[in-house]
Amino acid sequence: NLISLTPPPPLASFPSLGDAFKIIKQPCDKCSAVVVEADVGQDGVSMYIALDSDSYGHILRPGNGGIRLLNYDSTESAIDDAVRLAKGMTRKHDMFRTGFSGAKVVVKSDHKDLSVIERKELMENLASALDAFGGGMYTGCDLNTCDIDMDFLVKATNDKYVLAGRNSHVDTNVATASSVIGSILGTVEAMQGSSNISELTFTVQGCGKVGSTVAKELVRLGAKHVQTCDLFPQAAEIKGCTQIHDWANTSCDFLVPCANSLAITEEVASNFPEGIKFCVGATNSPFANEKAKGIFDKRGVMHIPESISSAGAILADSVEWSNINLYQTVEPAKMYGWIRDISREKASDLAAHAGKEPQYVESNLKNVVPSRDGAPVGKDFEKWIEEHSSTTETLIVGGGLAGTATAFSLAEKGIRSILIEQASSLSPPTASSSGDSRMYRKMYSSEFFSKMAAQALERWGDVEKKSGKKLLQENGLLFYGEDTGETVEGSVLGAKEVMEKLNLPHKYYATGDEIADAYPALESCRGKPYSGVYEETAGHIRASKACEAMAEGAGDKCNVKLNSKIVSLDNQGEGGKVVAVTEDGETITADSAVVCAGAWTNKVLESANLPQLNLEVWQVQWAHFEVANDVAASIPQAFHFRKENDIDGGLYYVFPSSATESVQNGGKSFVKVGVDFRTGEALTDMSSFNYEGSQEVLKMIDEWVKEHLPSVGERLDSYCHPYTMTEDSYFVMDKVADNVAVFSGGSGRAFKFGPLLGDCMASLLTGEQAPVDLAPFSATRAAVSSNLNKARQPVVAYLDTLGA
């Protein structure tokens, strides 16, 4: 045993024991547990309660374990399972000093069909047993028992002796998943020096409520690859994961058992594919025997025992038992964050004590087990909440263009902010602000946006000066193609008209032949009814680097928190404050909040009970193509307009080789080619977004390249990013509450305005005069607000006066 156990007290400590059940097994040298049989009034059903002898009759250190209902082969196997599980629970409780010792209720059914069991009567029988223990045991759900059973049990016990997350939003399955994730991160941290999992491939074996939660979180945390496997294949169909059918013969770095016990046999351990480094999961007793575990040890597989990795539910029980009011009112994410944090620390400490050697883990468990003396760990939760709370003037949600620009502008005004980004980097590849390049130009069909672009260029200069980084590269821009009328990107003739009206330098090409003469790489324009406009002072912005530069430019005025996802946002906190809780359990209190969450905007607004916006999410595709160095120099940055045709939206663009820094290698050159129309139907959120895009659209991109850039080589890769669109292609820059402002609906045209948008958002918070007229970007205009109380026509008419 992990810790020597004291002999049980005399039976007299339970005055009504003899009336409630009979003793099946007494503690002995080979087994320190007591097993009793409770009376059950149903044929073919037996109930056994195992208490590790330390908890037997100890009201101040009661037993704790769930109710398991199974069709066992024999009475002996049911009793053995009860003892094994109770002892395992003791190890969990001791590992964290929950205040409990181990126990388990096992119900043996002779019926394979468990639905024939009368659950209400069964729970009433159990209630009599718990009442006889007089506070010596607490229980809850386990295998094949559920909330309905707990409802019966709570009523039968008069709301005593049941710890099942009742009257609370805390989900014990998510709590268990949190301890798994914490243990994974702690193990990786100890073994590799950091908790970065971006180079690791995981296999999650078992995708029930716990396993599926673990798999989704590994994806969110940036795992290289997450493989899922389950007896029920549909359960393993998890977004961002790859379903596999034979977990024991599929290679991975990290095995995460979340299914049946004893699955890792000697054969599995011996034949598991090479390369496995870690085994940490939710399964109780994942190894069939000590020999199987020893094989993994010899292979160098670091295993953190389930007394740490699967302890989430009993940690929640400790809080429920020691501070019921806090348990019933707390934001669940705080609980999950606490569980993750202490599990991570415990796993990391154990691996370190073992010298990073798997064979020394068992012998070093004693070094991470606290004394049983002292307050239960659940009493530490309130202090943890205080320690993981922070305050600031402004909370910024989202680390893309608008979020980093807002942080930059606020810092210039001396205003502190905390910026949280759910991904592992600013401008992450899963969102719309990442990559090497975005166009900047004054060439618009709208005077309003053309003037905004000129203002933005001045502010980009400020960002470059402060960061010391070259972010903008002037390489000119050509608009060319058919007379399409106005599109989301304007039109050739509309741009020509505005350039002339504002007296901006440009060159006009009246025919396709003139374009082909000026740009040999676009020889395919010859003979076509095309026209073109060229702006020499246009170019491209290094997108990801620009976001990083603005965040760095904010300096110590902005605290950037990555891998941090908002789960709740309350804009009616004490004193009119905004109070946010992250998925890691951190509480952030701010004077105001700015939501710059792109395609996730409405999810954040929903969490704050604020009105959602009428936004669409487009799946937009692009790719890199190899090109000979001598040809690359002749390919301009260009935007091609042609009329729509079925799914072909007609808008194509090309960035020159100077705008593809991340893929330059071996002296080769590449150009970036993409479309500015959506793949498939417009979405309302990211739940069904497909980062693979459409092969049909990729084929159209390939065909466009062959037709318009015939000297360009093969496609290297492909990408699909989310564009958040509004009906009128104008952004949203407005307050949606007195202390909450929103930027969204960039509509594929926002990046060039970067720092100017930050100035606009800052003005909404400070009350200062905005650098541009914000009326067209109102959150209450008809195009974006389903709750608009104003007439539509005046807004549309106003936009028309701006040249929209």
Side-chain angles (χ1 to χ4, degrees), residues 436-440 471-476 537-543 637 655-661:
D436 289 328
S437 50
R438 294 293 186 278
M439 292 182 185
Y440 71 84
L471 303 173
L472 275 65
Q473 180 168 325
E474 185 177 293
N475 46 235
T537 57
H540 73 267
I541 307 167
R542 293 173 171 86
Q637 180 169 301
F655 279 94
S657 60
S658 61
T660 58
E661 295 172 328

Side-chain angles (χ1 to χ4, degrees), residues 90-99 179 183 305-312 314-315 318 338-339 341-347 368-371 375-378 380:
T90 291
R91 288 191 289 271
K92 288 185 182 181
H93 288 303
D94 278 339
M95 182 60 70
F96 291 95
R97 197 174 64 214
T98 63
S179 61
S183 299
E306 63 273 21
S307 57
I308 296 174
S309 63
S310 185
I314 59 106
L315 289 168
S318 186
W338 172 66
I339 291 170
D341 204 37
I342 59 178
S343 301
R344 178 197 58 75
E345 184 176 0
K346 185 78 74 172
V368 297
V369 176
S371 165
V377 69
D380 295 339

Side-chain angles (χ1 to χ4, degrees), residues 421-424 427-434 599-600 686 689 691 720-722:
E421 166 56 51
Q422 65 179 345
S424 57
S427 63
T430 52
S432 59
S433 295
S434 70
W600 293 267
M686 292 295 291
F689 191 91
Y691 284 99
C720 185
H721 281 170

Side-chain angles (χ1 to χ4, degrees), residues 92-109:
K92 288 185 182 181
H93 288 303
D94 278 339
M95 182 60 70
F96 291 95
R97 197 174 64 214
T98 63
F100 295 107
S101 190
K104 206 72 178 182
V105 178
V106 163
V107 179
K108 175 185 176 292
S109 169

